[in-house]
Amino acid sequence: MEAPRIIAAVTRVVRDVGIAEELAQDALVAALEQWPVSGVPDSPGAWLTAVARRRAVDLVRRRENYARKLEEVGRATEFAYEAPVAADPDDIDDDLLRLVFMSCHPALSAEARVALTLRLLGGLTTAEIARAVLAPEPTVAQRVVRAKRTLATRNVAFEVPAGPDREARLGPVLEVIYLIFNEGYAATAGDDHLRPGLCEDALRLARVLQALMPKEPEVHGLAALLELQSSRAAARTAADGSPVLLRDQNRTRWNTMLIRRGFAALGRADEVSSGPPGPYALQAAIAACHARAYAYEETNWGHIAALYGLLAARTPSPVVELNRAVAVSMVEGPGAALALVDAIAGEPALREYHLLPSVRGDLLERLGRGAEARAEFRRALGLARNERDREFLLGRIDR
């Protein structure tokens, strides 16, 4: 939970994300050795950060250019526990955001940027990243290693760039914040359906970006999407942690404050836009349709299906098509949707994606084809890596 903040804080000192990650792990080892004897401190995160930072100082002292490096470390540690105060929106002192922009440097390929940021800020394992980006694990591992090496050899600055450089990195930054949130919103693996800490980090970073780049419509679009999706968090799992489908959620548990923030951000995206809505604004508009419905039966599925059509035209993706099929099933029936799903069933990117057979099974079940539906749910079960998803699929098979 604390790893991204520790890595960001230490990167400020050593200017090398690979070394920063190792020092964060060293701090955890120190905690495992000392806490059983001394007890868990009142602020575990601050303790871990302090240990990692001290080790970073020791490392820098052993390097060349001792005097210059030590002076830099002194400046970094002097304000380690002071809340950053920005003189203007272009001077936001946020180590996590700096780490995002550093990880999205143009020297890295788009795939490497995503993998590295999910690793450092999302705390995802190689397997989780591979499932999130629909790529083989060895490929993802190589991307992360090469990305760290490139940042170190290029001596990439630990900063939020200004002007054209910032704009050039904005797309990858938005993408990784979006992916971090998605991993928290529906964890690809593990025992928990949700990882709230990732959602909170992603939402906070999106809000910081709004202040940093107030004239960028897609920044507001992403913030709107995350606000609206976060509003449903409390209703998305039952008391035992099992997932609750949208149609079964208690909408009185939806967070109205976050919904209002989402509507406001979506409005700002429209105000500053001079063209058609971008993919994040379109997804936020879809989420807003759900937020406006007081009951599941009142959902405007026709409008949602149309928005998915626009999204598919703007950013073609088999995952978008799968989501569009779900919306179409509510408007035109499961038969029409099944045809859409079958049209993308052979997409290589969906080969290991458990939601494809899961959606197909649901459509078959609604068509009264129970045996075929159970076969699809079994296939989804074989692909799912999250224990809560597996339990849910077992329930669909048994009923």
Side-chain angles (χ1 to χ4, degrees):
M1 290 171 61
E2 295 292 341
R5 294 180 180 85
I6 299 170
I7 293 169
V10 176
T11 300
R12 174 190 282 269
V13 178
V14 298
R15 298 298 199 269
D16 185 311
V17 293
I19 293 174
E21 190 176 21
E22 293 175 4
L23 292 172
Q25 293 169 352
D26 288 347
L28 177 59
V29 172
L32 291 172
E33 294 172 345
Q34 297 180 36
W35 290 0
V37 178
S38 62
V40 178
D42 292 336
S43 180
W47 190 97
L48 290 165
T49 301
V51 170
R53 201 182 279 273
R54 281 199 299 270
R55 297 192 178 200
V57 171
D58 292 340
L59 179 64
V60 172
R61 281 174 174 161
R62 291 194 297 269
R63 289 178 174 176
E64 295 179 352
N65 303 319
Y66 167 83
R68 181 175 60 82
K69 289 292 184 180
L70 187 57
E71 183 180 356
E72 291 179 6
V73 172
R75 288 199 300 269
T77 55
E78 182 180 355
F79 303 104
Y81 299 106
E82 292 186 13
V85 179
D88 59 71
D90 284 343
D91 189 29
I92 293 181
D93 187 11
D94 186 300
D95 282 347
L96 280 177
L97 190 60
R98 292 173 189 268
L99 187 58
V100 172
F101 272 93
M102 184 182 189
S103 301
C104 292
H105 193 275
L108 306 179
S109 68
E111 297 81 6
R113 296 170 198 164
V114 171
L116 181 62
T117 311
L118 290 177
R119 171 69 178 172
L120 297 180
L121 279 100
L124 274 64
T125 65
T126 303
E128 290 170 337
I129 298 170
R131 295 187 64 80
V133 301
L134 304 177
E137 284 186 43
T139 301
V140 170
Q142 290 171 7
R143 288 174 185 170
V144 172
V145 171
R146 284 198 296 264
K148 291 178 184 177
R149 186 185 303 123
T150 299
L151 292 178
T153 55
R154 294 285 189 93
N155 197 26
V156 172
F158 183 66
E159 64 181 7
V160 175
D165 288 341
R166 180 188 299 171
E167 295 174 5
R169 293 193 216 177
L170 179 59
V173 167
L174 294 178
E175 182 182 8
V176 296
I177 293 174
Y178 174 75
L179 288 172
I180 289 170
F181 182 88
N182 278 352
E183 179 59 29
Y185 194 71
T188 56
D191 297 328
D192 299 319
H193 184 61
L194 305 178
R195 297 175 66 179
L198 293 183
C199 291
E200 292 166 5
D201 277 346
L203 181 54
R204 187 182 61 78
L205 290 171
R207 289 171 177 171
V208 170
L209 271 183
Q210 280 186 286
L212 187 66
M213 309 182 77
K215 296 183 180 180
E216 290 289 341
E218 276 292 77
V219 170
H220 295 299
L222 178 63
L225 174 62
L226 303 196
E227 300 277 9
L228 291 167
Q229 296 291 74
S230 295
S231 72
R232 303 203 295 264
R236 292 188 63 243
T237 55
D240 62 356
S242 59
V244 178
L245 295 178
L246 180 63
R247 65 170 175 260
D248 300 322
Q249 289 176 17
N250 179 357
R251 299 191 175 211
T252 63
R253 300 189 66 197
W254 288 8
N255 188 314
T256 55
M257 181 195 71
L258 293 179
I259 290 174
R260 287 196 297 270
R261 289 183 63 99
F263 287 164
L266 191 56
R268 286 194 292 274
D270 185 59
E271 289 171 7
V272 301
S273 177
S274 58
Y280 296 116
L282 285 171
Q283 291 179 74
I286 293 168
C289 286
H290 292 297
R292 292 189 181 100
Y294 290 103
Y296 183 77
E297 296 72 21
E298 297 177 13
T299 306
N300 189 341
W301 288 106
H303 188 45
I304 290 175
L307 288 169
Y308 269 121
L310 293 174
L311 182 61
R314 185 68 184 270
T315 54
S317 160
V319 175
V320 172
E321 281 297 316
L322 184 63
N323 289 330
R324 185 169 77 90
V326 174
V328 168
S329 76
M330 304 302 295
V331 180
E332 302 177 27
L338 185 61
L340 294 176
V341 172
D342 287 344
I344 60 172
E347 290 284 345
L350 298 180
R351 188 175 295 118
E352 303 295 323
Y353 194 53
H354 80 279
L355 291 181
L356 174 65
S358 180
V359 168
R360 194 170 189 277
D362 184 71
L363 296 174
L364 289 167
E365 187 176 66
R366 289 166 59 187
L367 288 168
R369 297 158 62 177
E372 294 175 78
R374 284 190 290 276
E376 288 297 296
F377 290 137
R378 290 191 190 96
R379 190 159 71 92
L381 180 65
L383 296 173
R385 294 294 177 267
N386 182 280
E387 288 304 314
R388 295 300 183 178
D389 289 339
R390 290 176 59 80
E391 291 169 5
F392 176 80
L393 289 166
L394 282 170
R396 297 296 300 269
I397 294 169
D398 294 338
R399 75 183 188 186

